[in-house]
């Protein structure tokens, strides 16, 4: 995930990458809360299950990357096509967690598919929005770093 994120930040720019990170994280967590609430009517344990930090976002980023390059070969104990990689990864987590699914990881998986097929284009930020944030007091200090990537 880290090399993929570095490549994405280089392509998009630091500000857009950061804004995408926060927007996607917020939407994943909102989706997680809704799923936890709805599934709590079936099993109360879903209502009290925690969200484990970055993992939902990492899974969604992996899904988005894999679906943008579905025939690419990735390595996970063996060579596997990218379009199958998220499910193999979820299966691996399922085994590691004692045959239990984590709702937040499933939420990240669902968000990744929703992003690719339904909401990705709607979440794209315009160039003027990115320039506005690059010039804002929050992101302006980042322009002085040589490793920062800007839109302009």
């Amino acid at each position: 995930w880290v090399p993929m994120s570095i490549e994405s930040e280089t392509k998009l720019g630091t500000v857009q990458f950061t804004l995408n990170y926060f927007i996607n994280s917020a939407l994943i967590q909102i989706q997680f809360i809704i799923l936890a609430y709805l599934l709590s009517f079936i099993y109360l344990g879903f209502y009290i299950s925690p969200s484990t930090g970055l993992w939902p976002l990492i899974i969604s980023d992996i899904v988005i990357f894999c679906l943008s390059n579905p025939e690419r070969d990735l390595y996970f104990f063996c060579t596997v096509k990218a379009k199958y990689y998220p499910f193999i990864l979820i299966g691996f987590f399922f085994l590691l967690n004692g045959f239990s699914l984590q709702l937040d990881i499933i939420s990240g998986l669902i968000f990744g598919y929703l992003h690719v097929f339904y909401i990705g284009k709607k979440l794209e930020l315009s160039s003027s929005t990115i320039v506005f944030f690059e010039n804002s007091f929050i992101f302006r200090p980042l322009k002085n770093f040589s490793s920062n990537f800007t839109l302009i």
Side-chain angles (χ1 to χ4, degrees), residues 14 139-150:
T14 302
F139 291 107
R140 192 175 314 129
L142 289 177
K143 286 186 174 185
N144 297 330
F145 294 114
S146 62
S147 63
N148 181 47
F149 302 101
T150 61

Side-chain angles (χ1 to χ4, degrees), residues 16-80:
Q16 184 174 358
F17 180 81
T18 303
L19 292 172
N20 287 347
Y21 171 84
F22 285 117
I23 291 168
N24 290 349
S25 292
L27 291 174
I28 290 169
Q29 293 306 314
I30 290 168
Q31 177 186 313
F32 169 75
I33 291 168
I34 292 169
L35 281 175
Y37 176 74
L38 293 175
L39 292 174
S40 70
F41 293 111
I42 298 169
Y43 174 65
L44 189 58
F46 285 120
Y47 190 69
I48 58 173
S49 67
S51 180
T52 53
L54 282 176
W55 280 110
L57 180 68
I58 291 171
I59 293 295
S60 71
D61 281 351
I62 288 172
V63 168
I64 293 165
F65 173 77
C66 288
L67 291 178
S68 66
N69 306 295
E71 297 302 318
R72 183 176 179 171
D73 288 330
L74 297 176
Y75 187 76
F76 189 80
F77 298 118
C78 64
T79 303
V80 63

